[in-house]
């Protein structure tokens, strides 16, 4: 059993190893007194030393290994040998059980009190390792799911309902915070926040209740045998749905959007979770290629015209629009948004929530907004002919109009406007650009390996790249506990940008659909979505299976099937590629 008995002074250790100076140590100590942070964290925040160099130095000083949790393959059952409460309290994780001792990773292996407590709790010889704290907390979030807690609370609620409790008596007031239904919902929200779920689906079936969470676009299912609790959950959520539902989970402020629908065996509830604590992403953070980002920034600074962000549900259009508004939000610009719903609140911007029941439709609010002397108008979606025509004419009369449209790519978007009844000459005069986007799943760094492509995948590559396809190598994820055995963890945005130049505008005026499509494909610098995805695959960030999904080749290439392909996803924020 390896025990650190000598107290390590971080500052002196870094000076002895030539990583900081005495003056930097004094500055860090002075700053630490004001912030109360740990000395090592303070020096990292001040930029005196990187976290990696600090950890490497600490590992050498203590003669223990440094373990990179992002690439370490652990057994979840081994990790759970230490209860989550103590894992979080002592910033520790059990990584291996071998040769009669446990390997425990610690964010601060110099903490003698924490180490002694871990030895008492685990009742086994313990060997230390040093791990990065952020990686440790992320791993804890992945492993310690609230599955057992949710099942136990569901059973408790089922027993209470089994006694003939009236739901109206069970769910009336906010003071019943300890009621089983409230505790169960709280546990559901905490579990969803812990794993970064974008949506929670509650679906009553004939004999069971299914609770599914959408993580990285893929639904993960949990079966609850206490089906009779579904009514209690739905009733409680409906009681809350008349309010602005905002919860605080694990230090994060999360807004909840709720939708219900009657089914054969009860009511389905879908809750979208919007993390408000991270703030609005900037255009630099949403993953655009540098060339597209430069061109897009140039376009949105034009004084008037319409810019559309397009893609299917769940492609991150709303996040891109908010990032665009964030960049355009200047004191000399009047910005009005028309949204359903208002998902993120922005200072200085006039945001209007649609309420159809009282006549606040997209079209009526857009008309009113034009009388408010705006420079920039953002319309949540071009949903009908009336809204589209008002938006296009606003773009012709000195306003920059931003909006979204549900189309598959940039080329089909302008043609979709014509199908919605807009005149070709109006579209040609108003439309400045179309940004089409999707989300592809990022490969899990913990289980990545070389991908031996199938003959059909190689055939597709040769069709697209010709001889350049030869010799290319790709990667895939085989699945591990960190990625819920999907092979993917996180998502990346891919984009294609079509700037409406004179040739494209002329084709629109003539209502020449074929000519417009050909001119778009031949436009200098235009790269379709599948080529953006292919660039990521060549960099080892995503798989060829994801590329073919984006390219729509799964059905065309008979016999190729990606069983982990996600269902259609809800609208979710584009993750930072970092």
């Amino acid at each position: 059993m390896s025990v650190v008995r000598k107290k390590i002074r971080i500052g002196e250790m870094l000076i002895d190893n030539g990583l900081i100076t005495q003056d930097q140590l004094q500055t860090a100590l002075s700053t630490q007194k004001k912030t109360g942070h740990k000395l090592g964290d303070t020096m990292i925040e001040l930029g005196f030393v990187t976290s990696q160099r600090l950890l490497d130095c600490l590992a050498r000083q203590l003669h223990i290994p440094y373990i990179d949790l992002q690439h370490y393959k652990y057994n979840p059952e081994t990790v759970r040998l230490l209860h989550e409460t103590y894992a979080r309290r002592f910033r520790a994780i059990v990584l291996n059980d071998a040769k009669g001792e446990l390997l425990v990773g610690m964010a601060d292996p110099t903490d003698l009190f924490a180490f002694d407590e871990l030895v008492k709790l685990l009742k086994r010889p313990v060997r230390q390792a040093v791990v990065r704290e952020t990686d440790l907390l992320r791993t804890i979030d992945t492993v310690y799911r609230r599955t057992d807690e949710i099942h136990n609370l569901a059973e408790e609620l089922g027993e209470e309902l089994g006694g003939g409790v009236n739901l109206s008596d069970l769910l009336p007031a906010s003071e019943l915070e300890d009621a089983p239904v409230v505790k169960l919902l709280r546990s559901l929200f905490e579990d969803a926040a812990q794993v970064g779920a974008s949506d929670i689906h509650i679906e009553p079936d004939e004999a069971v209740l299914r609770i599914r969470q959408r993580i990285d676009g893929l639904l993960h299912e949990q079966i609850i045998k206490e089906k009779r609790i579904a009514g209690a959950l739905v009733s409680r959520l409906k009681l809350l749905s008349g309010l602005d539902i905002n919860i605080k989970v694990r230090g994060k402020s999360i807004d909840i959007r709720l939708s219900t629908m009657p089914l054969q065996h009860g009511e389905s509830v879908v809750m979208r979770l919007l993390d408000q604590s991270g703030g609005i992403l900037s255009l630099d953070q949403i993953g655009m290629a540098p060339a597209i980002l430069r061109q897009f920034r140039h376009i949105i600074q034009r004084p008037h015209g319409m810019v559309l962000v397009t893609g299917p549900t769940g492609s991150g259009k709303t996040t891109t629009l908010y990032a665009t508004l964030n960049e355009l939000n200047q004191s000399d610009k009047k910005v009005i948004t028309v949204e359903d719903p208002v998902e993120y609140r922005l200072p200085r911007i006039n945001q209007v929530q649609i309420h159809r029941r009282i006549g606040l439709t997209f079209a009526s609010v857009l008309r009113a907004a034009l009388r408010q002397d705006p420079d920039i108008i953002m319309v949540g979606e071009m949903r009908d002919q009336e809204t589209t025509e008002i938006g296009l004419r606003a773009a012709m009369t000195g306003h920059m109009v931003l909006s979204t449209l549900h189309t598959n790519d940039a080329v089909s978007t302008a043609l979709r406007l014509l199908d919605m009844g807009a005149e070709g000459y109006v579209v040609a005069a108003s439309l400045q650009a179309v940004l089409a986007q999707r989300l592809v799943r990022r490969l899990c760094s913990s289980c990545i390996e070389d991908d031996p492509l199938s003959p059909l995948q190689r055939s597709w590559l040769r069709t697209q790249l010709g001889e350049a396809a030869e010799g290319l190598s790709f990667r895939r994820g085989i699945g591990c506990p960190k990625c819920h055995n999907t092979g993917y963890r996180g998502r990346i945005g891919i984009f294609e940008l079509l700037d409406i130049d004179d040739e494209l505008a002329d084709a629109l005026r003539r209502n020449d659909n074929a000519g417009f499509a050909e001119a778009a494909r031949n436009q200098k610098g235009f790269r379709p979505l599948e080529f953006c995805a292919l660039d990521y695959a060549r960099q080892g960030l995503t798989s060829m299976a994801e590329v073919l999904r984006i390219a729509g080749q799964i059905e065309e290439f008979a016999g190729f099937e990606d069983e982990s392909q996600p269902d259609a996803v809800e609208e979710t924020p584009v993750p930072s590629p970092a």
Side-chain angles (χ1 to χ4, degrees):
M1 176 167 55
S2 174
V3 183
V4 180
R5 292 300 180 191
K6 182 181 177 182
K7 179 66 177 177
I8 299 294
R9 295 184 178 275
I10 297 294
E12 294 177 1
M13 178 189 74
L14 294 176
I15 289 177
D16 291 342
N17 283 270
L19 296 178
I20 64 169
T21 65
Q22 186 67 44
D23 288 343
Q24 288 175 325
L25 175 58
Q26 293 305 317
T27 301
L29 288 170
S30 178
T31 303
Q32 182 194 25
K33 291 179 181 178
K34 300 175 183 177
T35 63
H37 297 169
K38 291 182 178 180
L39 182 58
D41 293 337
T42 300
M43 284 188 282
I44 292 171
E45 292 166 3
L46 292 172
F48 294 161
V49 66
T50 65
S51 61
Q52 188 61 57
R53 297 192 75 176
L54 175 59
L55 292 172
D56 289 340
C57 183
L58 191 59
R60 288 195 305 271
Q61 189 77 17
L62 299 177
H63 305 290
I64 62 176
Y66 162 72
I67 292 180
D68 183 355
L69 289 179
Q70 294 189 50
H71 300 95
Y72 187 86
K73 294 185 178 180
Y74 55 80
N75 183 335
E77 295 304 317
T78 301
V79 175
R80 294 192 190 102
L81 291 174
L82 180 65
H83 193 277
E84 179 184 4
T85 301
Y86 300 111
R88 294 189 183 279
R89 178 184 302 172
F90 299 127
R91 294 294 192 263
I93 182 171
V94 182
L95 296 173
N96 194 19
D97 181 0
K99 297 181 180 180
E101 66 178 7
L102 299 175
L103 175 63
V104 176
M106 298 182 67
D108 182 8
T110 67
D111 188 336
L112 300 182
F113 171 78
F115 181 81
D116 289 341
E117 290 298 309
L118 289 170
V119 173
K120 293 176 185 176
L121 289 166
L122 294 169
K123 298 180 175 61
R124 297 274 298 280
V126 171
R127 182 165 57 93
Q128 285 179 298
V130 61
V131 297
R132 192 187 308 274
E133 184 171 12
T134 53
D135 293 341
L136 181 142
L137 293 176
R138 190 180 298 115
T139 303
I140 287 175
D141 285 345
T142 301
V143 174
Y144 293 100
R145 297 293 303 276
R146 297 178 179 269
T147 304
D148 293 339
E149 179 181 311
I150 290 171
H151 277 287
N152 292 337
L153 288 170
E155 290 180 2
E156 182 182 347
L157 177 57
E159 292 173 1
E160 186 164 337
L161 295 175
V165 177
N166 190 316
L167 286 182
S168 61
D169 296 331
L170 178 65
L171 309 168
S174 59
E175 65 265 16
L176 296 179
E177 290 301 315
D178 291 330
V181 65
V182 176
K183 291 193 290 185
L184 176 55
L185 285 173
R186 186 186 303 126
S187 184
L188 286 174
F189 290 137
E190 290 178 350
D191 185 53
Q194 193 165 302
V195 296
S198 61
D199 303 86
I200 301 174
H201 296 239
I202 299 176
E203 302 168 343
D205 209 334
E206 182 175 7
V208 298
L209 175 66
R210 300 181 191 278
I211 297 178
R212 302 199 283 175
Q213 297 175 341
R214 193 177 293 281
I215 305 170
D216 295 335
L218 187 67
L219 286 171
H220 296 258
E221 184 174 84
Q222 182 176 350
I223 301 295
I224 304 294
K225 295 181 179 180
E226 297 287 341
K227 177 187 178 294
R228 55 186 172 177
I229 71 171
L233 289 175
V234 173
S235 296
R236 181 67 184 182
L237 288 168
K238 281 187 172 181
L239 186 67
L240 294 173
S241 64
L243 309 174
D244 182 12
I245 308 178
N246 181 275
I247 60 173
K248 297 222 179 265
V249 178
R250 305 171 63 81
K252 297 180 178 180
S253 177
I254 297 176
D255 278 352
I256 298 172
R257 303 284 185 261
L258 185 143
S259 172
T260 64
M261 184 176 66
L263 301 177
Q264 185 178 6
H265 302 292
E267 282 189 271
S268 166
V269 178
V270 175
M271 293 173 285
R272 179 176 302 172
L273 279 59
L274 300 171
D275 185 356
Q276 301 285 345
S277 60
I280 306 298
L281 296 178
S282 69
L283 287 176
D284 293 303
Q285 294 175 304
I286 64 176
M288 285 189 196
I292 292 180
L293 180 58
R294 286 193 299 270
Q295 188 179 5
F296 185 70
R297 278 189 161 133
H298 175 73
I299 290 168
I300 62 175
Q301 293 296 336
R302 294 172 184 172
H304 58 81
M306 177 178 284
V307 176
L308 292 175
V309 180
T310 73
T313 300
S315 56
K317 302 184 295 295
T318 300
T319 298
T320 299
L321 276 185
Y322 274 105
T324 305
L325 287 176
N326 201 29
E327 183 146 322
L328 296 174
N329 187 8
Q330 305 294 330
S331 59
D332 60 343
K333 300 290 185 183
K334 169 93 169 188
V335 183
I336 300 177
T337 72
V338 187
E339 306 175 63
D340 183 22
V342 174
E343 295 194 1
Y344 296 93
R345 296 161 183 82
L346 295 168
R348 193 187 291 120
I349 291 179
N350 297 261
Q351 296 176 268
V352 183
Q353 169 77 52
I354 294 301
H355 290 289
R356 292 178 181 81
R357 292 182 180 178
I358 59 174
L360 290 179
T361 63
F362 275 105
S364 65
V365 174
L366 184 52
R367 285 195 189 93
L370 290 172
R371 295 192 287 271
Q372 291 281 309
D373 188 30
D375 297 289
I376 301 165
I377 301 173
M378 191 272 273
V379 184
E381 183 183 347
M382 291 292 160
R383 294 193 174 186
D384 52 52
Q385 181 178 352
E386 184 180 16
T387 305
T388 301
E389 289 179 349
I390 297 171
L392 286 169
R393 294 193 180 277
M396 291 177 63
T397 55
H399 305 89
M400 172 57 73
V401 179
L402 308 172
S403 190
T404 70
L405 200 61
H406 287 261
T407 56
N408 288 328
D409 54 39
V411 175
S412 63
T413 300
L415 307 181
R416 173 67 179 140
L417 292 176
L418 300 179
D419 290 340
M420 294 174 70
E423 296 290 343
Y425 73 90
V426 176
V427 177
S430 305
L431 189 62
Q432 293 286 324
V434 180
L435 179 74
Q437 65 181 76
R438 290 284 204 291
L439 297 177
V440 295
R441 291 179 292 168
R442 181 192 290 268
L443 288 174
C444 173
S445 61
S446 298
C447 61
I448 196 169
E449 67 172 21
D450 290 337
D451 186 3
L453 300 186
S454 70
L456 293 174
Q457 290 173 313
R458 289 287 180 191
S459 176
W460 183 87
L461 272 175
R462 285 193 294 271
T463 301
Q464 301 299 319
L465 303 179
E467 293 182 0
E470 300 302 326
L472 293 179
S473 61
F474 298 90
R475 307 278 276 168
R476 68 178 180 182
I478 60 174
C480 69
K482 294 181 182 179
C483 61
H484 308 285
N485 294 312
T486 64
Y488 301 94
R489 189 166 56 171
R491 290 187 288 178
I492 320 169
I494 59 170
F495 303 85
E496 66 179 25
L497 179 61
L498 183 64
D499 194 350
I500 306 301
D501 57 21
D502 291 340
E503 185 178 0
L504 292 173
D506 287 341
L508 289 172
R509 290 189 190 95
R510 300 191 307 268
N511 290 316
D512 182 3
N513 293 0
F516 178 87
E518 182 178 358
R521 286 191 293 269
N522 295 328
Q523 187 180 74
K524 183 179 179 181
F526 176 74
R527 283 176 60 80
L529 286 167
E530 58 265 31
F531 283 91
C532 182
L534 185 56
D535 289 341
Y536 280 138
R538 294 173 68 173
Q539 297 170 37
L541 297 176
T542 193
S543 66
M544 272 301 299
E546 283 289 276
V547 175
L548 292 185
R549 180 175 68 84
I550 293 300
Q553 299 295 326
I554 294 177
E555 293 83 9
E556 181 178 336
F557 282 81
F560 173 75
E561 183 178 0
D562 177 16
E563 296 181 352
S564 64
Q565 179 186 348
D567 301 330
V569 295
E570 302 294 331
E571 192 79 24
T572 53
V574 178
S576 167

